[in-house]
Amino acid sequence: MEFTTGGRLEVRITPVDVGKRVSVRQLTNEAAPGAKFTDTVGVLTSWDAGVLSITQRSGVSVRIPESALVAGKTVPATPARRRGPSATFPELARAMARAWQPVESEQLGDWRLRAAAGFTRRANSVLPLGDPGRPLDAALERVHAWYAERGLPAYVQVATGSEGTQEVLAAGLEQRGWTREVSALVLTGALAPLGDPARPLEDTVSRVTLSRSCDAPWLARYQRFSTPDPAVLRVLGSGPSTWFASVGGPGGVPSAIGRCVTDGRWAGFMAVEVDPAARRQGLASAVMTALARRALDEGASAAWLQVEEDNAAARALYDGLGFRTHHRYHHYRQHIPTA
């Protein structure tokens, strides 16, 4: 990482660079003799009272005393990915939102307030794709009131790690005491390879049944809720072209299920679940293959899915299927002080 001009380290950033992607080098411990350097790359989200705040690709914010800086510069946005489909953050975020629609929503400028009786954070959080049309504090007051009217906690879904994502908003929420509860990776990949797996999987793919609706057995395998609710069915059934997959299992409960929404060139995969007793049999791959073939028939060419960062098994599966990280999103919850 080159910081020098004529062999000298230089700090070439100032507070006017807030909102830009930067790379800085700082002393790890100014007081220690022989102190070493450490480098940080991310979006400069604030520079106040002699302290810089930089949000990294992972969404983690790093605070650096101005006095510890030995070098710094602005850097270009993350280079375009060489594998898989290209996509801007706004395009992908809107496709994901259309695939998991709330029961009710309201616009606040370019923000969308979403609610679905508490079923999943995605359907019960603000999608802030732009300017709310008022100062941030006033916008958050409206967010709090809107969710309080519905007996729900206030969440804002914020993305980091790609060009055009929302590091500055994430930092603003943290400064106001909002807490990051859950983070997930958004992965993308080419759709055609999913529909053309290794031949030994074909017999398993033939066991997959596709339907336009989720029936009682499918819901019995789904782990996101314990009792049927109209809001759950509304969210699951939403999307431009929605398909449900299942593989028969003992007792009438599927051994594996999945959901896919086709939307133009995109196919989004969700709710891929396998009975723990039936794992390592290729059922998850078979479900995704069957859904991918239907999406290819409908004209899709690219795929996306979401996976929580700590789900190592799922991440290994999707990595093997050719998916790569596009960005991360985080759900921030409003902190309400107790009396």
Side-chain angles (χ1 to χ4, degrees), residues 97-103 119 211-215 218-219 222 229-244 259-262 270-271:
R98 289 191 294 268
W100 197 259
Q101 297 178 24
V103 174
F119 172 59
S211 173
R212 279 294 195 182
S213 60
C214 53
D215 55 15
W218 193 98
L219 292 169
Y222 188 53
D229 184 280
V232 173
L233 300 178
R234 283 273 300 277
V235 175
L236 288 172
S238 65
S241 179
T242 303
W243 290 94
F244 297 88
R259 176 179 181 264
C260 179
V261 175
T262 305
M270 292 143 278

Side-chain angles (χ1 to χ4, degrees), residues 308-325:
E308 292 187 4
E309 286 192 285
D310 60 358
N311 191 338
R315 291 179 63 180
L317 168 67
Y318 300 138
D319 183 69
L321 294 174
F323 284 88
R324 297 295 181 266
T325 300

Side-chain angles (χ1 to χ4, degrees), residues 165-208:
T165 46
Q166 303 153 318
E167 286 82 358
V168 173
L169 175 58
L173 293 173
E174 291 177 359
Q175 291 166 4
R176 290 162 174 80
W178 289 59
T179 304
R180 185 170 51 149
E181 288 193 347
V182 175
S183 295
L185 302 176
V186 176
L187 311 181
T188 60
L191 186 61
L194 290 179
D196 187 24
R199 186 167 298 277
L201 191 62
E202 284 295 339
D203 288 344
T204 309
V205 175
S206 67
R207 297 169 52 195
V208 180

Side-chain angles (χ1 to χ4, degrees), residues 227-293:
T227 58
D229 184 280
V232 173
L233 300 178
R234 283 273 300 277
V235 175
L236 288 172
S238 65
S241 179
T242 303
W243 290 94
F244 297 88
S246 62
V247 178
V253 178
S255 293
I257 60 170
R259 176 179 181 264
C260 179
V261 175
T262 305
D263 182 0
R265 73 181 181 116
W266 290 106
F269 293 84
M270 292 143 278
V272 178
E273 298 186 7
V274 178
D275 181 351
R279 289 176 181 166
R280 301 187 181 279
Q281 299 177 23
L283 295 183
S285 296
V287 162
M288 294 187 68
T289 294
L291 290 168
R293 289 176 177 175

